[in-house]
C-alpha cells in the first residue's frame, strides 16, 4: 500500500455514511523524525555488544498428513443437529457443506418436495437455520455417472469453453475466469450456467466438479471449483471460517472520501414482484446479516469516476454492490443499485456492470495456497483504456484488514 499523506482532519460529515477510514500496517508508517526524543527505556540503557546469531535448528520434515475422505451420503432418513459453526447458514448452503457430493439440482429437488424438514416443518432453500435446530435429511444420492468419452458435439464445445476459462487447475481444484453475463447456477429464465456446463467434466468415477462459492451473473472473474468431494469439503470450510481472501475491482460514480475506508452495515433481502435487492437494515431486523467491506481508491478519472479495489470480509448477496451504493458511489452499469438522477454515462463506456472478481487466495486442500488473478473483462478493459487508467498499478487494498 502506498504511504499515507498527512492531511488536515475533516469533520465526520465529510465521510460517506457507514464508512470509516482504516490505517495501514506498522511497516507502512513513516519512521520517527530524526532527533526525536527517545523513550526512557532506550535512553537509560547502554549500548550492548551484538549477540552471536543463533544456530539454526535442524530441519525436521513434518509427517505426511492423512486426510480422511468425507463420510458417505446417507442411504436412509437421518436427523442431525445444527452446530455453532452452521448457525445462520442457508438451508442449501448447509446441505452443500455437509454433503459436498450433492448437485445443486438435487438439493433444490429434495427441499421443494418437503423431504428436508427443520424442527419438523418444511423449509425453503433460502431459509436460515439456527444452532440447535434439528434437520431431517432424506436418503441422498450422487448424480448418476456418465460414460466417459461419450460427449456429443455440443458437449465437446462446452468442454472447450470451460477449458478456455481456466486460470488454475490441478487434481483437486480449478479456478475459472467466468465471463460477465454467464450465470453460475440455473434459475428462472436462465438457459446456460456454469453448474450445468460442469456435467461434461465428470471423471471416470462419475464425480462432477462442484461449485464452492458464487458470483452474480454480470460479475466477471475468479470462480473456484472443487474437482473432488475431498476438495469441496475443505474449500467450503475455508469459506465458512473466512480463510479465503477475495479482492474485487470496480468502477464507481464519483470519488469516495476518505479514499480508504471500512463499510459495516446490516443487509436484508427486499423482494417485490419484479425484483429482489439487498437493503440496509438494522441489527435484529428479520433476515438481517452483518456485512463488512474494505475499499481503497486506486485511481480516478477527474472527479466523476473512480477505480476502487474492494475486499469483502463477509460474503452476503450483492454485498459490494449494495455497500458502494450505500456510501453514494454506486458501481457503473449496475441495473439494481445505480439510481443517481440526471447522471450520464461518459461516452464510449458500455452500460454493463463494472465489477470484477480480480483475485482469490485460499488454502489448498492438500497444503499450500491457491492464488489466482483474473484479467479485466472486455467491457471493463475498454473503459480503462478510454479513461486512461493503468491496469497494472499497485493495488492499495492488499494490506487492508481481514476482519
Amino acid at each position: 500500500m502506498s504511504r499515507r499523506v498527512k492531511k488536515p482532519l475533516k469533520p465526520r460529515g465529510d465521510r460517506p455514511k457507514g464508512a470509516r477510514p482504516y490505517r495501514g500496517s506498522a511497516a507502512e508508517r513513516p519512521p520517527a523524525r530524526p532527533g526525536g526524543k527517545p523513550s526512557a527505556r532506550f535512553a537509560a540503557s547502554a549500548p550492548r555488544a551484538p549477540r552471536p546469531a543463533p544456530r539454526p535448528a535442524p530441519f525436521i520434515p513434518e509427517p505426511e498428513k492423512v486426510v480422511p475422505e468425507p463420510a458417505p451420503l446417507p442411504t436412509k432418513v437421518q436427523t442431525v443437529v445444527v452446530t455453532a459453526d452452521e448457525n445462520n447458514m442457508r438451508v442449501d448452503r448447509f446441505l452443500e457443506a455437509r454433503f459436498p457430493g450433492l448437485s445443486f439440482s438435487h438439493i433444490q429437488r429434495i427441499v421443494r418436495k418437503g423431504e428436508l424438514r427443520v424442527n419438523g416443518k418444511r423449509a425453503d432453500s433460502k431459509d436460515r437455520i439456527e444452532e440447535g435446530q434439528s434437520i431431517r435429511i432424506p436418503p441422498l444420492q450422487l448424480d448418476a455417472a456418465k460414460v466417459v468419452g461419450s460427449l456429443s458435439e455440443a458437449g465437446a464445445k462446452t468442454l472447450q469453453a470451460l477449458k478456455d476459462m481456466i486460470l488454475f487447475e490441478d487434481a483437486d481444484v480449478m479456478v475459472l475466469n467466468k465471463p460477465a453475463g454467464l450465470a453460475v447456477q440455473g434459475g428462472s429464465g436462465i438457459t446456460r450456467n456454469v453448474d450445468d456446463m460442469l456435467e461434461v467434466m465428470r471423471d471416470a468415477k462419475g464425480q462432477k466438479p462442484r461449485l464452492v462459492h458464487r458470483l452474480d451473473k454480470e460479475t466477471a472473474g475468479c470462480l473456484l471449483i472443487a474437482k473432488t468431494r475431498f476438495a469441496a469439503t475443505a474449500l467450503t470450510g475455508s469459506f465458512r471460517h473466512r480463510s479465503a481472501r477475495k479482492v474485487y475491482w470496480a468502477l464507481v460514480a464519483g470519488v469516495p472520501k476518505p479514499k480508504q475506508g471500512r463499510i459495516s452495515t446490516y443487509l436484508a433481502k427486499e423482494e417485490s414482484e419484479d425484483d429482489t435487492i439487498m437493503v440496509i437494515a438494522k441489527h435484529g431486523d428479520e433476515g438481517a446479516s452483518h456485512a463488512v467491506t474494505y475499499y481503497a481508491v486506486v485511481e480516478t478519472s477527474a472527479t466523476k469516476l473512480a477505480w476502487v479495489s474492494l475486499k469483502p470480509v463477509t460474503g452476503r448477496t450483492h454485498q459490494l454492490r449494495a455497500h458502494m451504493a450505500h456510501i453514494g458511489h454506486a458501481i457503473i452499469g449496475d441495473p439494481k443499485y445505480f439510481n443517481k438522477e440526471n447522471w450520464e454515462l461518459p461516452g464510449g463506456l458500455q452500460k454493463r456492470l463494472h465489477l470484477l472478481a480480480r483475485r482469490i487466495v485460499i488454502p489448498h486442500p492438500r497444503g499450500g495456497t491457491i492464488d489466482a488473478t483474473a484479467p479485466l473483462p472486455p467491457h471493463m478493459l475498454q473503459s480503462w483504456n478510454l479513461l486512461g487508467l493503468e491496469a497494472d498499478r499497485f493495488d492499495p487494498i492488499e494490506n487492508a484488514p481481514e476482519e
Side-chain angles (χ1 to χ4, degrees):
M1 180 183 295
S2 58
R3 292 177 182 271
R4 293 183 294 108
V5 179
K6 189 172 181 181
K7 295 182 179 179
L9 293 176
K10 294 184 179 181
R12 178 71 185 179
D14 288 340
R15 298 175 184 168
K17 183 179 178 183
R20 63 180 177 83
Y22 71 82
R23 308 296 183 189
S25 63
E28 298 175 280
R29 298 172 191 156
R33 296 177 180 175
K37 186 177 179 180
S39 67
R41 173 184 173 191
F42 291 104
S45 60
R48 298 181 180 178
R51 295 182 179 178
R55 297 178 62 184
F59 173 73
I60 303 175
E62 293 184 4
E64 185 177 352
K65 295 179 182 179
V66 178
V67 184
E69 284 283 323
L73 298 178
T75 56
K76 58 183 179 181
V77 174
Q78 65 169 259
T79 301
V80 299
V81 177
V82 179
T83 66
D85 284 342
E86 295 165 333
N87 185 56
N88 203 39
M89 288 181 70
R90 285 173 32 158
V91 168
D92 53 0
R93 304 283 174 83
F94 165 80
L95 285 171
E96 288 178 346
R98 286 273 185 142
F99 310 106
L102 287 178
S103 67
F104 172 77
S105 57
H106 189 37
I107 290 173
Q108 297 300 314
R109 184 166 59 251
I110 63 175
V111 173
R112 185 174 61 252
K113 289 183 176 180
E115 297 176 357
L116 180 140
R117 295 187 174 253
V118 179
N119 284 352
K121 298 179 180 178
R122 292 176 67 114
D124 186 83
S125 60
K126 297 178 181 178
D127 289 347
R128 301 277 176 173
I129 57 177
E130 299 177 3
E131 180 183 358
Q133 287 183 325
S134 297
I135 311 290
R136 176 195 180 275
I137 299 174
L140 303 174
Q141 62 182 14
L142 291 172
D143 290 347
K146 293 185 178 180
V147 179
V148 178
S150 60
L151 291 179
S152 63
E153 183 179 351
K157 289 182 178 179
T158 298
L159 179 60
Q160 186 59 50
L162 287 169
K163 288 182 176 181
D164 291 341
M165 298 180 202
I166 293 174
L167 296 170
F168 168 85
E169 182 181 26
D170 62 16
D172 294 288
V173 180
M174 184 166 57
V175 181
L176 300 180
N177 179 20
K178 186 191 82 65
L182 176 62
V184 172
Q185 291 179 310
S188 177
I190 294 175
T191 57
R192 182 177 174 84
N193 63 82
V194 175
D195 191 39
D196 286 347
M197 292 173 70
L198 291 172
E199 288 286 348
V200 301
M201 299 188 80
R202 287 186 181 274
D203 61 18
K205 297 180 180 179
Q207 288 195 90
K208 169 191 168 185
R210 302 161 184 83
L211 302 169
V212 290
H213 72 125
R214 291 158 186 79
L215 295 176
D216 295 339
K217 179 181 178 181
E218 296 304 326
T219 302
C222 296
L223 180 67
L224 188 64
I225 306 291
K227 296 173 67 175
T228 62
R229 291 182 62 198
F230 161 71
T233 302
L235 295 172
T236 301
S238 292
F239 276 100
R240 186 167 62 247
H241 296 107
R242 297 181 185 173
S243 300
R245 182 158 62 96
K246 294 175 286 183
V247 173
Y248 289 74
W249 282 1
L251 189 66
V252 302
V255 179
K257 295 181 180 180
K259 288 192 174 182
Q260 295 178 353
R262 177 180 185 266
I263 307 169
S264 175
T265 71
Y266 283 83
L267 294 175
K269 187 172 293 186
E270 183 178 87
E271 298 190 42
S272 64
E273 293 183 2
D274 302 325
D275 206 355
T276 299
I277 62 171
M278 302 300 290
V279 296
I280 304 301
K282 295 180 180 178
H283 178 50
D285 286 355
E286 183 179 356
S289 299
H290 190 215
V292 176
T293 301
Y294 287 92
Y295 73 87
V297 175
V298 184
E299 198 172 353
T300 64
S301 177
T303 59
K304 188 163 187 177
L305 297 166
W307 162 15
V308 295
S309 188
L310 304 162
K311 182 184 285 188
V313 176
T314 51
R316 312 303 178 201
T317 301
H318 297 174
Q319 175 177 318
L320 302 180
R321 299 163 65 181
H323 268 174
M324 294 313 293
H326 171 60
I327 65 171
H329 299 283
I331 299 174
I332 299 300
D334 192 332
K336 290 180 179 285
Y337 298 92
F338 196 102
N339 55 7
K340 288 181 172 291
E341 294 183 2
N342 302 320
W343 199 92
E344 293 184 4
L345 192 70
L349 274 63
Q350 297 184 44
K351 194 174 182 180
R352 300 183 63 185
L353 183 67
H354 282 60
L355 181 61
L356 167 70
R358 170 66 175 176
R359 184 180 179 195
I360 186 166
V361 182
I362 189 171
H364 193 286
R366 299 192 188 275
T369 303
I370 301 166
D371 189 346
T373 300
L376 288 168
H379 72 284
M380 290 181 67
L381 181 59
Q382 180 186 36
S383 298
W384 258 238
N385 290 336
L386 287 168
L387 298 171
L389 303 177
E390 300 176 15
D392 57 350
R393 287 195 59 174
F394 175 72
D395 195 336
I397 203 71
E398 291 297 328
N399 296 318
E402 301 292 335
E403 56 184 33

